[in-house]
Amino acid sequence: MSPEEWTYLVVLLISIPIGFLFKKAGPGLKRWGAAAVGLGLTLFTCGPHTLHSLVTILGTWALIQAQPCSCHALALAWTFSYLLFFRALSLLGLPTPTPFTNAVQLLLTLKLVSLASEVQDLHLAQRKEMASGFSKGPTLGLLPDVPSLMETLSYSYCYVGIMTGPFFRYRTYLDWLEQPFPGAVPSLRPLLRRAWPAPLFGLLFLLSSHLFPLEAVREDAFYARPLPARLFYMIPVFFAFRMRFYVAWIAAECGCIAAGFGAYPVAAKARAGGGPTLQCPPPSSTDFCVRVRDGMRYWNMTVQWWLAQYIYKSAPARSYVLRSAWTMLLSAYWHGLHPGYYLSFLTIPLCLAAEGRLESALRGRLSPGGQKAWDWVHWFLKMRAYDYMCMGFVLLSLADTLRYWASIYFCIHFLALAALGLGLALGGGSPSRRKAASQPTSLAPEKLREE
């Protein structure tokens, strides 16, 4: 593990005992205490580069105050434009920010765009009330009022998820501050139940990254290996990639559990990223869902909710695949400017189109046993597709990614094109038009699908 990874881990572990301290505190102590801890961690890890987050916050708050009825689009343009400036600092001869600054900036971008959207929704609701002359009661998910500058700062620097997520809306943050009976929210047992796989995942990460180091792919000797060995290598690389993120996300989730953050009654059917809703399907497992589409949905669920809510729904296209391509393009941009991000993320729409067309053309014609076999094959190919795309995500550079993909003959790209062509030839419909009855279920045991 690199020094940066050790620092991330320490920050995540520190958040767990801090969460127990804040859980039963009053709203004022929660708000300002959590903000003080988050700002302290930011200053400690980012130093003077903390200024970037402050400029982003002040700019967004100014836009919200100036144009509350259209601040969502303005905040999206402002924060994404600042990301471009932020990543071009070295080209401009300015000091390069630390990796921790980048992490803070990424999560802050999500939070500020979401805040602007919530304020815009509040403003539009207030205008409708004034026009109708009829005052409604509190609306689910709507803010009580527009946050002040200090309230915006406290939300932005709240220590919960400040570097690793999870992303949460301002409404979810307010619900935590105003939690009516925090002592009644269980913490210790759910935390232990959630935390137990983390040491195992950590050991598996260390073992797999030691036996199959990523740097080997950048060496000329690697390409002298037989094709089966090159094909296999992406599987443990993606495995190590997942184990590292699973440890970080479990630790971050344990910090939330300790603080009672995001705890809602079961009847509220809260959704990852969105908060309480009555129309939320139960979460599933990333590794055991069948389709590429579902794998995306269950990977880093709060960020996926943000992308669906603020990018996918406003995409300049009606086709599911084109909207997904637009969403993946902006997701790649959010992650950074490395070509590997774009190569990987923009492979996803091709896989989505291929699996959607072929599944709608063939799966419904099979017997129940045939459909089960289809789902297992589909799951296997989905995992190999994510193995393949992960290589671009970790190799980052254009040359290294294309060199590896070329060494295995761009097999996933050609397989997806062949599946797409076959699906079209057999008359398969677009992914957005598939009937729910033909959709595969998760291969996970029931207990893996419970949260």
Side-chain angles (χ1 to χ4, degrees):
M1 289 176 63
S2 66
E4 289 82 8
E5 287 173 326
W6 279 111
T7 303
Y8 278 122
L9 184 60
V10 169
V11 169
L12 288 169
L13 293 178
I14 286 175
S15 70
I16 296 174
I18 290 175
F20 284 111
L21 294 176
F22 281 125
K23 180 186 172 185
K24 297 181 181 180
L29 181 56
K30 275 185 176 179
R31 181 187 288 277
W32 305 116
V37 171
L39 181 59
L41 290 172
T42 305
L43 288 169
F44 175 73
T45 55
C46 305
H49 298 291
T50 302
L51 183 63
H52 292 293
S53 59
L54 182 60
V55 169
T56 309
I57 295 166
L58 294 176
T60 304
W61 184 78
L63 291 172
I64 289 173
Q65 298 301 311
Q67 295 290 334
C69 60
S70 57
C71 57
H72 171 222
L74 293 173
L76 182 65
W78 157 246
T79 54
F80 271 56
S81 297
Y82 197 88
L83 278 179
L84 181 61
F85 166 74
F86 176 78
R87 285 160 179 158
L89 288 172
S90 59
L91 300 176
L92 299 173
L94 297 172
T96 302
T98 65
F100 308 106
T101 313
N102 182 62
V104 170
Q105 199 71 20
L106 288 181
L107 270 299
L108 187 61
T109 297
L110 303 185
K111 291 166 78 172
L112 292 176
V113 172
S114 174
L115 175 62
S117 178
E118 291 181 88
V119 170
Q120 181 173 306
D121 289 344
L122 173 63
H123 182 75
L124 295 176
Q126 290 174 338
R127 287 178 62 179
K128 287 181 180 179
E129 280 191 10
M130 291 177 64
S132 66
F134 178 72
S135 180
K136 297 181 180 180
T139 303
L140 180 66
L142 205 62
L143 299 184
D145 48 40
V146 178
S148 67
L149 175 58
M150 294 305 293
E151 289 169 338
T152 302
L153 287 167
S154 70
Y155 166 62
S156 301
Y157 286 116
C158 177
Y159 80 94
V160 177
I162 195 165
M163 291 184 185
T164 58
F167 154 76
F168 50 88
R169 301 165 68 216
Y170 187 77
R171 178 69 260 184
T172 305
Y173 171 69
L174 279 185
D175 290 344
W176 177 61
L177 297 182
E178 300 165 359
Q179 217 167 40
F181 302 104
V185 177
S187 289
L188 185 57
R189 284 189 178 181
L191 187 150
L192 294 175
R193 190 165 59 243
R194 191 70 189 95
W196 75 263
L200 174 62
F201 291 161
L203 288 173
L204 290 172
F205 161 69
L206 294 173
L207 181 63
S208 55
S209 58
H210 175 73
L211 295 177
F212 302 94
L214 177 63
E215 288 304 314
V217 182
R218 296 191 172 99
E219 298 172 358
D220 293 338
F222 176 84
Y223 296 93
R225 300 182 185 184
L227 175 60
R230 299 198 302 270
L231 269 172
F232 171 77
Y233 207 87
M234 64 184 180
I235 298 175
V237 168
F238 184 43
F239 179 81
F241 179 84
R242 299 202 310 277
M243 294 302 106
R244 182 181 63 174
F245 275 93
Y246 290 171
V247 170
W249 289 338
I250 287 174
E253 190 174 343
C254 287
C256 293
I257 294 171
F261 197 103
Y264 292 98
V266 174
K269 295 185 179 179
R271 187 176 184 180
T277 176
L278 297 177
Q279 302 170 347
C280 174
S284 184
S285 163
T286 303
D287 288 348
F288 292 95
C289 61
V290 172
R291 297 177 298 170
V292 172
R293 180 179 184 175
D294 295 329
M296 285 169 43
R297 184 179 301 154
Y298 298 126
W299 175 266
N300 201 355
M301 292 173 66
T302 57
V303 174
Q304 294 303 322
W305 181 90
W306 187 93
L307 289 169
Q309 189 74 14
Y310 303 121
I311 304 298
Y312 179 84
K313 287 185 178 180
S314 59
R318 297 188 66 184
S319 160
Y320 168 72
V321 172
L322 291 179
R323 285 175 132 192
S324 298
W326 172 254
T327 304
M328 291 301 100
L329 176 63
L330 291 190
S331 179
Y333 174 80
W334 178 75
H335 279 85
L337 300 180
H338 296 288
Y341 292 147
Y342 297 85
L343 291 172
S344 295
F345 278 110
L346 293 178
T347 299
I348 290 176
L350 174 62
C351 295
L352 293 174
E355 75 172 4
R357 293 282 183 177
L358 193 58
E359 182 181 273
S360 65
L362 287 179
R363 188 177 184 275
R365 303 178 185 180
L366 302 176
S367 66
Q371 290 186 3
K372 191 67 175 177
W374 172 282
D375 290 347
W376 277 106
V377 173
H378 195 165
W379 168 81
F380 177 82
L381 293 176
K382 179 223 41 171
M383 292 303 296
R384 303 295 73 77
Y386 278 119
D387 294 337
Y388 182 86
M389 290 182 281
C390 175
M391 297 305 291
F393 205 93
V394 295
L395 289 172
L396 297 179
S397 76
L398 179 69
D400 288 339
T401 302
L402 292 180
R403 186 184 188 190
Y404 177 76
W405 282 355
S407 78
I408 56 174
Y409 305 103
F410 296 96
C411 57
I412 295 298
H413 282 101
F414 283 117
L415 180 62
L417 287 170
L420 178 60
L422 180 59
L424 289 170
L426 294 174
S430 66
S432 59
R433 288 189 226 157
R434 282 173 301 152
K435 294 181 181 179
S438 68
Q439 293 180 3
T441 57
S442 171
L443 299 175
E446 192 65 30
K447 67 178 182 178
L448 286 176
R449 288 186 273 140
E450 295 177 351
E451 285 291 312

